[in-house]
Amino acid sequence: MAVPGPRLRVAAALSVLLLAGAQALAPSHRLTARDLARLRAALERPFADVQAAFYSIVGLGSLGVRVADEKAACNFIKSHVDSSSVDSLFYAAQSIQALSGCEVTISNETRELLLAAVSEDSSITQIFHAVGALSGFGLPLASQEALSALTARLSKEENVLATIQALETASYLSQQADLSGIVEEIEDLVARLDDLGGVYLQFEEGIETTALFVAAAYKLSDHVGTEPAMKEDQIIQLMNAIFSKKNFETLSEAFSVACAAGSLSRNRYHLPVIVVPDGPAAVSHHQPVLRLQVTNVMSQPLTQASVKLDYAKSASSKATVLQQTAFTLSGDVFELNFMNVKPASGYYDFSISVDGDKRFIANKVELKVKVSTEVGITNVDLSTVDKDQSIAPKTTRVAYPAKAKGLFTADSHQNFALSFQLIDVNSGAELIPHQTFVRLHNQKTGQEVVFVAEPDSKNVYKFELDTSERKTEFDSASGTYTLYLIIGDATLENPILWNVADVVITFPEEDAPSTVQSKDLFVPKPEIQHLFREPEKRPPTVVSNTFTALILSPLLLLLILWIKIGANISNFSFAPSTIVFHMGHAAMLGLMYVYWTQLNMFQTLKYLAILGGITFLAGNRMLAQKAVKRTH
Amino acid sequence: MSGAAGSGAGSAGSVGSVVRRFLVEYGSGTPSRLKVLDAYLLYVLLTGALQFGYCLGVGTFPFNSFLSGFISAVGSFILGVCLRIQINPQNKGEFQGISPERAFADFLFANTILHLVVINFVG
């Protein structure tokens, strides 16, 4: 049995944490009744082969369900078992053990085969299946030999699945053997789990492997008599991960989840407790009893437990209204009549603990409970108050749900005032709900304006309508308005919409608009036409063509003048440099034209450099010759 | 060459006689090389003036074309004037190191650069 010391210390540490206000991890997933039905349906498929039969029979057994037709199952296994395969024999042996009244005889050859498989040369899966088959058939087995083979193989096969299978194998071996080495593997495997967001804990190989690990760990721990080295938070995280899977693609997946569920609800050390409210967590005068379902992971009610309310505090004021009260068991649910302490309406934090079995974990739960009530409106006074204070205010009292008779006026001389009180109908205490609105609805135009009524220091709600102050909200639209009072809150069972009275509001004439435009935001707006850039005004083509011709006329004048002056080219010498110079110069002028039509600056500069270089050299030569000729 | 005629009355006649005297002196006293250059300058002037008048008439669109054409005219005129100053034999004293050929080469070079920019800008 577990040593009480560490458990007590763990429990003490946990309670200190709770008192300090820290939230212990709460299970977020479990197998509800619907999940169980789905799991059962997944397992209750017709058998395809011996392995499928094993998954179905043993899986259903873990859930506490017997196979529908045990005789047919037995016959199926006997006819489909393959005596030459260790795996097939394992599935057959374990299935037969789960069925009642199923006997099979094993030949010597089969026994030899199984015993031979238990050796260092076989894989761990082989050893596991052989040991399991021998154990299932009730055949003698050399535990020490098996253990040494297992330990030797474990050092070679380090993957998670092999280690899990080693745990399962060890649970078939005799307790005389020293299984502590295998038991230590549980701790190593726990270290290899991945923490996902602090809520889930699973192997990277998947949910199936995680579930198989949980089942194997508890099976071995129960067999050996040592508490598994898993902390409470880790167990809850494993639970969350395993039971988050609601749909099972393969039979082996369903089998693994079923085994995990079975082992978490029926082992010697840890029993996770699930506490959920039966229906919404709300009480009121009509429904004064808070009902809780306290179950294990398979939604089986733990009727042996004792459920106690540690404390119930108001969420807003943190005052404790109730403590150390026990829940009473009624059928499958635990009940507590919370309205006995006459709590004020609002939200309450409940701290509930489930005791009765040392194995319970996650047995301290925090719950938020809503207490609803009904509101009543009293002391409703409607009055018209004269602005000059010369006439005493006329007050009319109205009772809910009647409507005040007569019209009230609010104009430039008089203000309209409304005051009321809100009380809890059941307790008589004053209430401050979240929504206390005064709605004025114009009967003719459909306009409505909503104001908030504020409570004063004595919790009396007041609302005053001054026409000069409020004319912007009303758009200065005078007329008869219906006054409604709207009261609402999450903790009220009877929200109120009450037509209190009709008020005639008159605004000063100079501000009255001719029509009230409804601010309809959702009509299409006027279309915007894009203004394309207007092209510049250009003169007609005739004009520009004329000008082009005109601009050439000075050139004509130039030629005439030159001829008149007598410019001659008689001194033109046909020396090579002269020709090259003139050609180069002409080419440069041509380049200018090409630049205008086609090229960019870089290309032009390139060509210009070449042409200019040639022209310069030739020109230099030519001009030098000319200079020489001149001086001579 | 001092067309004095300064009767001061500013009558059209005296202005006219000054102009006539100037033309006679110009015709006889100016070497033909310079006259050729002057004809060129007149041509450039007229071209620039015509461009400007057209722009005034029909508007400045496209402005870049007008600017490049006008600046081409103005720039060419200025360079022509520079050339005339430099090759005028009466100014020989001030341009000792610069022969007329050199002046002409400078004129060509400067014109090349001017027209490179003008063509770039004309669009």
Side-chain angles (χ1 to χ4, degrees), chain A residues 446-512:
Chain A
Q447 226 187 342
E448 72 172 19
V449 187
V450 181
F451 298 99
V452 180
E454 305 265 343
D456 63 11
S457 51
K458 293 202 265 300
N459 286 343
V460 176
Y461 281 87
K462 284 202 179 9
F463 166 70
E464 191 155 331
L465 180 62
D466 185 345
T467 51
S468 50
E469 273 173 24
R470 300 281 186 201
K471 59 173 185 260
T472 40
E473 278 98 337
F474 285 91
D475 266 345
S476 298
S478 311
T480 314
Y481 284 79
T482 330
L483 187 106
Y484 291 89
L485 197 57
I486 302 175
I487 310 288
D489 194 87
T491 56
L492 290 183
E493 291 189 321
N494 62 333
I496 290 175
L497 174 67
W498 177 28
N499 183 353
V500 182
D502 290 327
V503 184
V504 177
I505 307 182
T506 317
F507 291 96
E509 272 309 316
E510 65 259 23
D511 301 324

Side-chain angles (χ1 to χ4, degrees), chain A residues 106-334:
Chain A
I106 309 298
S107 66
N108 276 346
E109 297 157 341
T110 321
R111 192 157 57 98
E112 293 305 316
L113 174 69
L114 290 173
L115 284 170
V118 181
S119 85
E120 266 178 46
D121 305 318
S122 327
S123 68
I124 290 199
T125 313
Q126 290 277 12
I127 300 176
F128 165 48
H129 285 167
V131 168
L134 286 167
S135 161
F137 289 136
L139 298 171
L141 159 70
S143 291
Q144 201 52 51
E145 223 179 273
L147 182 61
S148 52
L150 203 59
T151 324
R153 285 308 300 185
L154 259 181
S155 54
K156 292 190 207 135
E157 286 180 54
E158 300 234 310
N159 61 56
V160 171
L161 197 56
T163 320
I164 293 174
Q165 285 176 337
L167 295 177
E168 291 256 5
T169 318
S171 66
Y172 294 123
L173 302 176
S174 150
Q175 283 163 324
Q176 317 300 35
D178 181 16
L179 300 169
S180 54
I182 312 287
V183 172
E184 275 163 15
E185 295 291 337
I186 296 180
E187 229 177 298
D188 291 342
L189 280 174
V190 169
R192 286 160 85 158
L193 287 161
D194 294 325
D195 187 326
L196 301 175
V199 178
Y200 302 104
L201 206 59
Q202 63 181 67
F203 286 114
E204 63 180 5
E205 285 86 351
I207 304 279
E208 195 180 323
T209 316
T210 317
L212 286 174
F213 162 67
V214 169
Y218 279 109
K219 197 162 166 196
L220 182 59
S221 304
D222 283 353
H223 181 70
V224 170
T226 332
E227 188 184 342
M230 293 192 278
K231 301 201 229 3
E232 181 173 325
D233 274 354
Q234 288 173 325
I235 299 169
I236 295 174
Q237 283 178 310
L238 282 167
M239 245 178 73
N240 288 342
I242 295 170
F243 299 130
S244 67
K245 196 161 191 51
K246 306 292 190 187
N247 284 303
F248 310 102
E249 283 127 26
T250 62
L251 198 52
S252 58
E253 230 169 46
F255 165 72
S256 65
V257 173
C259 284
S263 67
L264 280 172
S265 42
R266 270 194 308 270
N267 66 72
R268 280 158 70 179
Y269 300 102
H270 302 137
L271 277 188
V273 168
I274 315 264
V275 178
V276 283
D278 188 27
V283 293
S284 65
H285 274 273
H286 307 292
Q287 175 48 287
V289 176
L290 179 66
R291 299 158 65 91
L292 293 178
Q293 281 180 349
V294 178
T295 66
N296 64 8
V297 294
M298 293 209 298
S299 294
Q300 289 164 341
L302 298 171
T303 48
Q304 305 298 327
S306 67
V307 183
K308 195 174 58 150
L309 173 71
D310 284 337
Y311 60 81
K313 277 194 202 158
S314 157
S316 47
S317 67
K318 305 277 179 238
T320 311
V321 293
L322 189 61
Q323 51 187 351
Q324 305 298 333
T325 317
F327 280 72
T328 50
L329 177 65
S330 146
D332 276 344
V333 294
F334 287 86

Side-chain angles (χ1 to χ4, degrees), chain A residues 336-351:
Chain A
L336 175 70
N337 188 328
F338 188 51
M339 293 308 282
N340 279 343
V341 293
K342 307 217 184 306
S345 66
Y347 286 92
Y348 290 86
D349 292 323
F350 274 44
S351 173

Side-chain angles (χ1 to χ4, degrees), chain B residues 9-87:
Chain B
S11 64
S14 59
V15 173
S17 64
V18 166
V19 171
R20 248 179 285 121
R21 180 83 192 278
F22 167 71
L23 285 174
V24 163
E25 288 275 352
Y26 176 78
S28 56
T30 325
S32 63
R33 182 182 285 195
L34 290 182
K35 280 198 208 160
V36 164
L37 199 52
D38 286 339
Y40 168 72
L41 290 177
L42 180 68
Y43 152 68
V44 170
L45 185 75
L46 282 177
T47 310
L50 268 176
Q51 282 184 337
F52 190 71
Y54 178 74
C55 171
L56 283 179
V58 297
T60 60
F61 183 78
F63 195 53
N64 59 311
S65 307
F66 159 68
L67 268 186
S68 85
F70 191 65
I71 285 177
S72 163
V74 169
S76 301
F77 187 81
I78 292 169
L79 289 173
V81 166
C82 288
L83 181 65
R84 191 186 194 281
I85 291 173
Q86 284 182 336
I87 65 175

